[in-house]
Amino acid sequence: MKARVLFISLAALILFCCVPDLSAQDTSVSFTIAPPPAGYPVFEKGHTDYRIGANFVTIDSDFMSITGAGIHGTYRRTYSSRLGTDASFGLSALVGDAFDTTMMQMSFTANGQYLLVNSPSLQFILLAGVGGDVIYSTMSMEVMPGSSMDITTTSSIYSLTGGIQANIPFSKFIFSPYGLAKTSSGTSSSESDFGTYSADIPTFNSITIGVDLLYKPWNVSLSSIYQKMEEISMLSISVSKLIGKVF
C-alpha cells in the first residue's frame, strides 16, 4: 500500500518534468520532446516575453490509469545582451480510474540565463535555477469487504537544475536541443483513518536530453512525450505559444 501511495503522490510530476527512478543516489537519463527551458530568447536590455501553454497526459501502470490536463506559463526578462531570467508556473489536475483518485499539482521554477554564443545562425545559452512542486492527492481504498479507507497525501519536492540549450533557426522554424541535470529531494505526508505517515523523499538525480521545434510564423510549438519506466508508461501532448519576439 505504501508503494501505491508514493506512486500517486509523485505521478503528477510527469506533467511538467521527467520523473526518474526514485532510488537514492541513482541517476536516470531520459529523452523528451518538449518546450526548451530557456525558450527562444531575444537578449536585449529590458526585453520581456511570455509563453503560455496547455497539455494533456495519460499515465498507465499495472494497478491504475491516470488522465489529466494542465496549464503553464513563463515570464522572461533580459537585463543586457548576455543576461536574463525566467519564472514559470504550472497547475494541473489528474483523475485515476481506481480508488476514486484525484490529484492537483502546482509547479514553480526560476532560472538564470547566460548567452554564451550569439550569431544569426546559432545561440548557446547556459542555465541554472531552482524549482518546486506541491502535489495534493486523495484516494479511497477498500481494506476489507464493505469497509474503505480515505487517504490524503501532500508531497513537496525541491530541485536544483543546471544545463545548456542551443537555438538553431532554419527556414520558418527554430530547432532547440537542450540538456538538463537536476537533483531533487522532498517530503511526503499521508493522512488516513489509521493515522498520519510522513517520510522524506530521498535525493534523486536526473539528466534530460530534449528537443523542440517552433514554427515562427505562428510562434507555436507542438510537443509530445512518451516514456516507459519499468511498470509505468506516460504519454503527454503539449501546445505552447510564445508572445513576443523570437531569436
Side-chain angles (χ1 to χ4, degrees):
M1 183 177 69
K2 289 181 180 179
R4 293 183 178 182
V5 173
L6 182 59
F7 165 76
I8 290 168
S9 67
L10 295 178
L13 285 175
I14 302 178
L15 282 172
F16 296 100
C17 61
C18 301
V19 173
D21 181 359
L22 296 183
S23 300
Q25 307 305 321
D26 281 353
T27 299
S28 70
V29 179
S30 61
F31 176 81
T32 179
I33 301 175
Y40 320 93
V42 173
F43 279 89
E44 298 173 352
K45 185 177 180 179
H47 172 78
T48 62
D49 58 54
Y50 308 84
R51 190 168 73 239
I52 57 175
N55 62 320
F56 170 81
V57 65
T58 61
I59 306 169
D60 290 315
S61 72
D62 290 344
F63 48 84
M64 184 183 297
S65 294
I66 297 173
T67 302
I71 57 174
H72 50 88
T74 299
Y75 169 79
R76 181 180 169 277
R77 182 176 178 86
T78 53
Y79 304 95
S80 71
S81 61
R82 294 286 179 180
L83 296 175
T85 59
D86 67 73
S88 299
F89 177 80
L91 180 66
S92 59
L94 300 97
V95 177
D97 65 352
F99 314 119
D100 295 325
T101 302
T102 60
M103 287 177 282
M104 295 288 294
Q105 182 215 6
M106 291 188 297
S107 177
F108 175 81
T109 61
N111 291 298
Q113 305 173 0
Y114 179 75
L115 182 61
L116 188 65
V117 175
N118 190 25
S119 73
S121 59
L122 176 67
Q123 278 186 338
F124 266 117
I125 305 164
L126 298 179
L127 302 160
V130 297
D133 296 90
V134 177
I135 307 157
Y136 176 83
S137 67
T138 62
M139 63 184 298
S140 179
M141 297 184 63
E142 187 178 31
V143 293
M144 61 182 64
S147 178
S148 62
M149 176 178 63
D150 295 327
I151 302 173
T152 300
T153 302
T154 302
S155 299
S156 300
I157 296 180
Y158 314 97
S159 303
L160 296 175
T161 303
I164 189 168
Q165 175 185 320
N167 287 332
I168 307 169
F170 65 95
S171 185
K172 296 180 180 180
F173 298 90
I174 298 177
F175 176 65
S176 300
Y178 60 90
L180 296 174
K182 178 187 291 187
T183 182
S184 306
S185 61
T187 60
S188 181
S189 176
S190 297
E191 296 183 4
S192 70
D193 298 336
F194 296 99
T196 301
Y197 171 78
S198 298
D200 291 332
I201 299 173
T203 298
F204 57 96
N205 304 310
S206 62
I207 297 174
T208 301
I209 300 171
V211 296
D212 184 67
L213 193 65
L214 177 81
Y215 184 58
K216 291 194 290 185
W218 295 351
N219 280 5
V220 169
S221 64
L222 177 65
S223 308
S224 64
I225 304 168
Y226 177 77
Q227 286 185 315
K228 179 69 175 178
M229 299 169 289
E230 296 184 354
E231 298 177 353
I232 302 172
S233 62
M234 181 274 296
L235 173 66
S236 177
I237 299 173
S238 176
V239 177
S240 180
K241 179 173 178 59
L242 180 70
I243 301 172
K245 293 191 295 183
V246 300
F247 164 62

